Amino acid sequence: MPGPADGDGTDAATAGLRPLLFSIAYGMTGSVGDSEDIVQDAFLGLTRARRAGTEIGDLKAYLTTAVTRLGINYLGSARVRRERYVGDWLPEPVVVPADRPGPAEYAELSDSLSMAFLVLLESLTPVERAVFMLREVFGHGYPEVARTTGKSEVNCRKIFARARGRIAAEVRQDGAPPPTRQAEGEELARRFFEAAAGGDMDELFAMLAPDVVLHADGGGKTQVVASPPTGREPVLRLLVGLFRRTRALGVTLRPAWVNGRPGAVMYDAGGRVASVIELDLADGQVAAIRSVVNPDKLGHLGPVSDIARRPPPG
């Protein structure tokens, strides 16, 4: 096995940049596995450049540029796949257990990379997404954004203004609420999942916002609702039925932070991952629920359950 300074291009100086590079790649792709691959490819490119005698004065700028441009290339091919995607598309969840710190790769992941935000970014072109991410999420100056993307500074300003306008329009249309404070969010999520698991319909109803919406990503491979239900009563009926079935199957739930928001991971009786749930909370209520059930998006969390593929009991 190669050592840290050869093979993959990492050493003490570059390894410290991995969390930042992962965050940029994930913001571009919405995929944990592909983000890890992109970061690894950037390190391999660094190794090749060094072996070719290239002098690299600014490692951070070099690797940020490599990751961003690899992300742009990825999005060019991913866009075609997503146009054929069955049902709601949600990003692969980044999960940090509620009772301990998460992996170093997730340390710099911003609250701005919530599932709702990443879905909004899908409306942007690859270059728009790169410029918007670097400028808005990671706070890079326009000269740095221009060097990273290979565009002129003037062009980057125009691209950013266009992208920000599009995102702002989507937010106004979607009515996305501001995130709830961490301690308040943890308590509200705990009460929500306890009420859902216990079938307490009155408590659940009171915790749901009037226009609550439930998004479920099954990718056409699991049984989920065909279109997102909206409103307290439709969402309540779905939740009660879902949790009644999971109780019968011996499913357990563990609180977690999902993409910087309160949520949970559901495990089947064999300890395999069944789904990941993220909650958007506002004004003391659940404004949106996002559930990733597509098995292709859960494999990075461990062995994946097949219970979502089974038909409900007759």
Side-chain angles (χ1 to χ4, degrees), residues 155-234:
N155 199 13
C156 284
R157 289 179 183 274
K158 293 179 180 178
I159 292 171
F160 177 74
R162 184 170 61 243
R164 184 169 59 178
R166 192 175 303 169
I167 292 296
E170 292 284 346
V171 169
R172 285 194 298 271
Q173 181 178 1
D174 191 49
T180 301
R181 288 179 299 180
Q182 180 170 336
E184 181 185 351
E186 287 180 342
E187 174 61 18
L188 184 57
R190 181 190 65 77
R191 288 172 42 221
F192 172 82
F193 287 119
E194 284 184 357
D200 189 338
M201 296 183 66
D202 291 338
E203 176 73 5
L204 268 180
F205 188 85
M207 295 180 70
L208 297 175
D211 56 351
V212 62
V213 59
L214 191 154
H215 297 276
D217 179 345
K221 300 181 179 182
T222 59
Q223 303 209 3
V224 296
V225 289
S227 59
T230 301
R232 280 174 170 155
E233 293 188 1

Side-chain angles (χ1 to χ4, degrees), residues 29-267:
T29 67
S31 166
V32 172
D34 289 326
S35 296
E36 292 170 345
D37 290 343
I38 284 174
V39 172
Q40 188 67 12
D41 286 346
F43 282 130
L44 290 172
L46 174 63
T47 295
R48 288 192 292 268
R50 283 172 164 171
R51 289 176 178 171
T54 303
E55 292 189 11
I56 300 170
D58 189 334
L59 282 174
K60 180 180 177 181
Y62 181 92
L63 289 168
T64 296
T65 298
V67 165
T68 300
R69 294 185 181 181
L70 287 167
I72 290 172
N73 292 338
Y74 167 94
L75 287 175
S77 59
R79 188 168 295 275
V80 175
R81 295 196 300 273
R82 290 180 189 173
E83 285 173 354
R84 302 172 184 165
Y85 201 80
V86 178
D88 264 356
W89 179 90
L90 294 173
E92 288 184 13
V94 173
V95 175
V96 176
D99 57 351
R100 64 180 186 272
E105 283 79 4
Y106 306 157
E108 297 193 21
L109 201 63
S110 167
D111 275 348
S112 296
L113 300 186
S114 67
M115 287 192 177
F117 185 71
L118 288 173
V119 170
L120 287 177
L121 291 183
E122 288 291 295
S123 67
L124 304 180
T125 69
V127 173
E128 286 175 339
R129 186 163 180 163
V131 170
F132 188 80
M133 284 290 307
L134 293 172
R135 177 67 181 159
E136 182 76 5
V137 177
F138 296 101
H140 291 191
Y142 283 111
E144 189 176 0
V145 173
R147 287 193 300 271
T148 301
T149 59
K151 305 295 181 181
S152 71
E153 187 174 336
V154 171
N155 199 13
C156 284
R157 289 179 183 274
K158 293 179 180 178
I159 292 171
F160 177 74
R162 184 170 61 243
R164 184 169 59 178
R166 192 175 303 169
I167 292 296
E170 292 284 346
V171 169
R172 285 194 298 271
Q173 181 178 1
D174 191 49
T180 301
R181 288 179 299 180
Q182 180 170 336
E184 181 185 351
E186 287 180 342
E187 174 61 18
L188 184 57
R190 181 190 65 77
R191 288 172 42 221
F192 172 82
F193 287 119
E194 284 184 357
D200 189 338
M201 296 183 66
D202 291 338
E203 176 73 5
L204 268 180
F205 188 85
M207 295 180 70
L208 297 175
D211 56 351
V212 62
V213 59
L214 191 154
H215 297 276
D217 179 345
K221 300 181 179 182
T222 59
Q223 303 209 3
V224 296
V225 289
S227 59
T230 301
R232 280 174 170 155
E233 293 188 1
V235 170
L236 178 64
R237 286 196 299 269
L238 189 63
L239 287 175
V240 170
L242 169 65
F243 277 87
R244 183 183 297 122
R245 182 176 183 235
T246 58
R247 283 197 304 273
L249 293 172
V251 170
T252 56
L253 183 148
R254 299 179 196 171
W257 284 91
V258 181
N259 289 63
R261 301 290 168 88
V265 182
M266 300 183 78
Y267 295 88

Side-chain angles (χ1 to χ4, degrees), residues 1-15 43 46-47 50-51:
M1 175 178 286
D6 57 15
D8 69 352
T10 58
D11 52 27
T14 56
F43 282 130
L46 174 63
T47 295
R50 283 172 164 171
R51 289 176 178 171

Side-chain angles (χ1 to χ4, degrees), residues 275-309:
S275 69
V276 172
I277 301 172
E278 180 206 61
L279 302 179
D280 273 358
L281 309 175
D283 299 325
Q285 292 183 308
V286 178
I289 304 165
R290 293 178 176 84
S291 174
V292 179
V293 193
N294 184 346
D296 295 343
K297 296 185 176 183
L298 300 174
H300 63 287
L301 301 174
V304 179
S305 175
D306 65 350
I307 62 171
R309 298 176 186 266

